[in-house]
Amino acid sequence: MSSFWCETLLIDGVALVDVRLEVDTAGRIARVRSGVAAEATDIRLGMVVPGLGNAHSHVFHRALRGQTHGEGGDFWSWRERMYRVAAQLDPSKYQDLATAVFAEMLVSGYTAVGEFHYVHHRSDGAPYETEHAMELALASAARSVGIRLVLLDTVYLQGGIGLDLAAEQRAFGDGSAAAWLTRWRSLRSALDGDGLVTLGAALHSVRAVTPDAIREVLDGLPPEIPLHIHLSEQPQENADCLAAYGVTPTGLLYSLGALEPRLSVVHATHLSDDDRTLLGDAGVTVVMCPTTEADLGDGIGPALALATVGSPIALGSDQNAVIDPFLEMRGLEMGERLASQKRGRFAPAELLHAASTAGYAALGLGRHRLQVGDPCDLVEVSTVGVRTIGSAPAQLPLTATAADVLRVIVGGRLAATDGQLVSGERAAALMADALARLGK
């Protein structure tokens, strides 16, 4: 049993003072009391927010940070550079890079991450000698850092609607939905029993998975498994889907019975009114990635409109050109302000909910509201730094950055403090080594 005393704790956007959290041996909250004095054995914290959930990440994209931003072009030209990085990966290099990225996430305030993982095999498509080598590399990286990982193992079967996988995509494919399901079930057994690392699933997109394959995956996955998919990030995807199937990507998913609360759609930038209604009526979570959508010139997604019709909004770091949960919160709100020319579209409490509670729910990690039975995942934020001094506690999502994160607790255990892991390792040093192995 461990215990934490928080000078101020934001729960559901409300600032409670003098809060004591008792934690059981499983790392879950056993008791919550507010308005009480600290006890001698408590770990004392200042301003605390719930642990933040990164609902969409591609760790290997981090290798492109600072390499592609000044080139012009669009998403499709950026993608060609991304393929070149993927071709350099092997299990050892992947683990080193993931360790560095997960470390940066943790010290920035992310306590959980959903890794949308599709680099399964060698660059020519051949399997590694060690079964699940790439997936186990990610799991080992997360365990070494101490961050929760939901491995969203991804189906990727074609290079575009009606197209075979291109040479640079062969590492992603399993040949068929049946083969992917067989590998997924085996991977689930290999990861079973680890509370820090769990297995989810993803369909890359309607471009990369045929309707028949989507249906087969839906039928083959257990109903409790969280399922994610990229959706309508680019207008070209909509045009291709309409040409091939006569419906939008959202309409296609609806026709296949895929729209349900366990589904999370990523980006959802270019939607029709009917698309938004279908997603909201089904309670599908929409994962917005504001820093990536801005960097790649995707556009501003209709987050507020989606939330209004019933879709929970979660947040992700996607390409990891920026790893800062506070900037994702800020980006969500500022995109709405720019589009509407009005302020205060999302309340600060709603932004924090998207970054924490909704992210955990999208990853299948259950309730995360700092109540009894919830995981004790916490982030201590400085309120005396140049960015946050004078800020009302509830408005920290609009003033703080990752640089203001002091201590991070995962499962009732201190995982990071003052920008470094409890082991003493720093994310920058880990990243320098990982990039050197990739020739960066």
Side-chain angles (χ1 to χ4, degrees):
M1 181 78 74
S2 59
S3 55
F4 299 88
W5 182 85
C6 309
E7 182 178 336
T8 306
L9 177 63
L10 278 183
I11 298 181
D12 294 334
V14 177
L16 304 178
V17 298
D18 300 340
V19 181
R20 190 169 189 268
L21 303 174
E22 296 178 7
V23 186
D24 64 22
T25 55
R28 294 189 172 272
I29 297 171
R31 190 181 185 190
V32 182
R33 290 188 295 157
S34 60
V36 299
E39 298 185 9
T41 57
D42 293 345
I43 296 175
R44 299 188 182 204
L45 304 172
M47 177 69 227
V48 178
V49 301
L52 304 171
N54 185 350
H56 188 70
S57 163
H58 302 289
V59 294
F60 78 91
H61 294 184
R62 167 61 182 84
L64 292 173
R65 184 189 295 178
Q67 301 291 319
T68 66
H69 312 301
E71 298 177 348
D74 57 13
F75 168 85
W76 304 104
S77 57
W78 169 87
R79 190 176 70 157
E80 296 305 314
R81 291 286 299 271
M82 179 268 287
Y83 285 152
R84 290 180 227 166
V85 174
Q88 294 178 265
L89 298 175
D90 60 29
S92 177
K93 292 176 182 176
Y94 202 22
Q95 182 170 334
D96 283 353
L97 184 57
T99 299
V101 175
F102 291 156
E104 184 180 359
M105 288 180 185
L106 189 71
V107 302
S108 299
Y110 285 121
T111 50
V113 55
E115 180 59 26
F116 200 106
H117 160 71
Y118 50 81
V119 189
H120 303 302
H121 311 296
R122 297 181 185 275
S123 59
D124 63 358
Y128 288 97
E129 290 82 359
T130 300
E131 190 175 21
H132 311 306
M134 295 294 267
E135 294 72 34
L136 293 177
L138 288 170
S140 294
R143 292 188 189 107
S144 69
V145 167
I147 194 170
R148 295 188 191 276
L149 169 66
V150 179
L151 181 55
L152 298 168
D153 197 85
T154 302
V155 190
Y156 199 132
L157 301 177
Q158 59 180 5
I161 295 176
L163 301 175
D164 291 337
L165 289 174
E168 59 269 24
Q169 297 169 320
R170 289 174 186 162
F172 312 158
D174 287 296
S176 68
W180 178 85
L181 281 164
T182 297
R183 187 176 59 74
W184 187 91
R185 294 184 186 110
S186 175
L187 177 59
R188 194 182 192 193
S189 296
L191 295 176
D192 191 38
D194 189 326
L196 200 64
V197 177
T198 55
L199 183 62
L203 303 156
H204 181 272
S205 59
V206 299
R207 291 182 290 108
V209 190
T210 65
D212 286 344
I214 292 173
R215 188 179 291 108
E216 188 171 354
V217 169
L218 293 173
D219 290 342
L221 279 178
E224 73 277 8
I225 298 301
L227 180 64
H228 290 220
I229 185 170
H230 293 121
L231 184 75
S232 294
E233 181 179 5
Q234 294 291 319
Q236 188 63 49
E237 178 181 294
N238 293 351
D240 292 347
C241 191
L242 281 163
Y245 307 122
V247 291
T248 65
T250 300
L252 180 62
L253 294 178
Y254 173 75
S255 73
L256 297 171
L259 300 187
E260 53 184 339
R262 72 144 165 193
L263 183 69
S264 293
V265 297
V266 182
H267 303 304
T269 308
H270 303 282
L271 300 178
S272 68
D273 291 345
D274 287 343
D275 291 339
R276 293 197 294 270
T277 299
L278 288 173
L279 293 170
D281 286 349
V284 172
T285 293
V286 176
V287 182
M288 296 287 184
C289 306
T291 63
T292 289
E293 289 147 8
D295 180 68
L296 296 182
D298 291 341
I300 299 172
L304 186 61
L306 285 159
T308 300
V309 297
S311 284
I313 304 298
L315 293 168
S317 65
D318 195 0
Q319 65 162 328
N320 296 305
V322 176
I323 296 180
D324 189 326
F326 295 94
L327 293 188
E328 301 298 346
M329 287 186 258
R330 202 113 80 246
L332 183 66
E333 168 65 9
M334 297 310 162
E336 288 291 334
R337 293 186 185 190
L338 289 169
S340 68
Q341 300 180 48
K342 295 180 181 179
R343 303 179 78 219
R345 309 302 284 164
F346 285 102
E350 293 173 315
L351 298 175
L352 186 57
H353 180 90
S356 58
T357 306
Y360 269 58
L363 295 175
L365 293 174
R367 193 182 64 186
H368 179 47
R369 296 178 62 191
L370 301 185
Q371 298 179 358
V372 173
D374 292 356
C376 185
D377 295 354
L378 310 170
V379 178
E380 182 186 24
V381 182
S382 171
T383 57
V384 297
V386 68
R387 287 164 297 276
T388 58
I389 193 162
S391 180
Q395 295 198 28
L396 283 171
L398 292 168
T399 58
T401 72
D404 298 300
V405 170
L406 299 176
R407 284 176 285 186
V408 181
I409 290 92
V410 179
R413 296 183 178 182
L414 185 65
T417 182
D418 295 328
Q420 63 184 24
L421 305 180
V422 290
S423 64
E425 293 179 296
R426 291 193 172 273
L430 293 169
M431 185 60 68
D433 291 343
L435 292 177
R437 294 197 64 194
L438 291 171
K440 301 292 184 181

